[in-house]
């Protein structure tokens, strides 16, 4: 809210205009209801313009300075922590049947891949080129 103060203000004014229109409809004051609905449309449009404007200006700021507010992700650390958590769950037995099925499938796929690599290395022999 500190960075984009016009957005909450626009939302609040939109709600006020809607309530004004609803009040007019309730008491059958057609002119008041019409003014409220027009005001609501205008306030909604201004709120959307504020959102788009803040987005454009933020994009310009980050493209000029080259700095963003995003922190870098250490993928190696994240992967290591995930593997440790999985190992801990396996050790405690806190694994759902669906997860056990996925783990078994992954093990089978790894074993099949290893067997095919071994089979290729055993049965594939280099054939010497014929001499000319």
């Amino acid at each position: 809210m500190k960075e984009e103060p016009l957005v909450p203000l626009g939302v609040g004014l939109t709600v006020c205009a809607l309530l004004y229109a609803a009040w007019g409809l309730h008491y059958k004051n057609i002119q008041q209801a019409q003014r409220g609905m027009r005001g609501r449309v205008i306030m909604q449009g201004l709120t959307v313009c504020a959102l788009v404007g803040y987005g454009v200006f933020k994009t310009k700021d980050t493209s000029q300075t080259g700095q963003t507010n995003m922190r870098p992700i250490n993928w190696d650390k994240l992967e290591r922590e995930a593997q440790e958590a999985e190992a801990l769950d396996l050790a405690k037995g806190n694994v759902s049947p669906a997860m056990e099925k996925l783990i078994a499938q992954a093990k089978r796929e790894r074993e099949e891949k290893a067997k095919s690599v071994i089979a290729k290395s055993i049965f594939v022999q280099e054939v010497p080129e014929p001499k000319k």
Side-chain angles (χ1 to χ4, degrees):
M1 284 184 36
K2 290 180 182 179
E3 295 178 4
E4 302 169 353
L6 293 179
V7 174
L9 178 68
V11 170
L13 290 174
T14 302
V15 170
C16 288
L18 181 64
L19 291 175
Y20 182 77
W23 188 267
L25 284 173
H26 179 70
Y27 288 106
K28 297 186 179 16
N29 187 346
I30 302 302
Q31 288 180 341
Q32 180 182 349
Q34 190 67 15
R35 282 193 306 263
M37 284 300 177
R38 288 179 181 162
R40 179 194 59 84
V41 169
I42 291 169
M43 291 302 138
Q44 272 185 313
L46 291 175
T47 304
V48 170
C49 287
L51 281 169
V52 170
Y54 283 127
V56 167
F57 287 123
K58 272 208 180 238
T59 304
K60 284 184 180 177
D61 289 343
T62 57
S63 66
Q64 289 173 356
T65 60
Q67 296 177 345
T68 61
N69 293 335
M70 294 189 299
R71 61 187 171 118
I73 297 174
N74 186 348
W75 292 105
D76 295 330
K77 180 182 175 188
L78 193 63
E79 180 70 25
R80 188 174 50 253
E81 289 174 354
Q83 289 174 348
E84 290 172 1
E86 287 175 5
L88 186 63
D89 280 346
L90 283 174
K92 288 182 177 180
N94 295 341
V95 181
S96 67
M99 185 59 100
E100 286 178 358
K101 187 177 178 181
L102 287 172
I103 292 170
Q105 181 182 358
K107 284 182 182 179
R108 280 194 306 273
E109 288 174 1
R110 271 189 251 129
E111 289 172 359
E112 289 173 7
K113 187 176 181 181
K115 286 179 185 177
S116 68
V117 168
I118 292 171
K120 285 180 183 177
S121 66
I122 291 173
F123 294 113
V124 175
Q125 297 177 358
E126 291 184 22
V127 178
E129 292 183 26
K131 295 180 181 179
K132 293 184 181 180

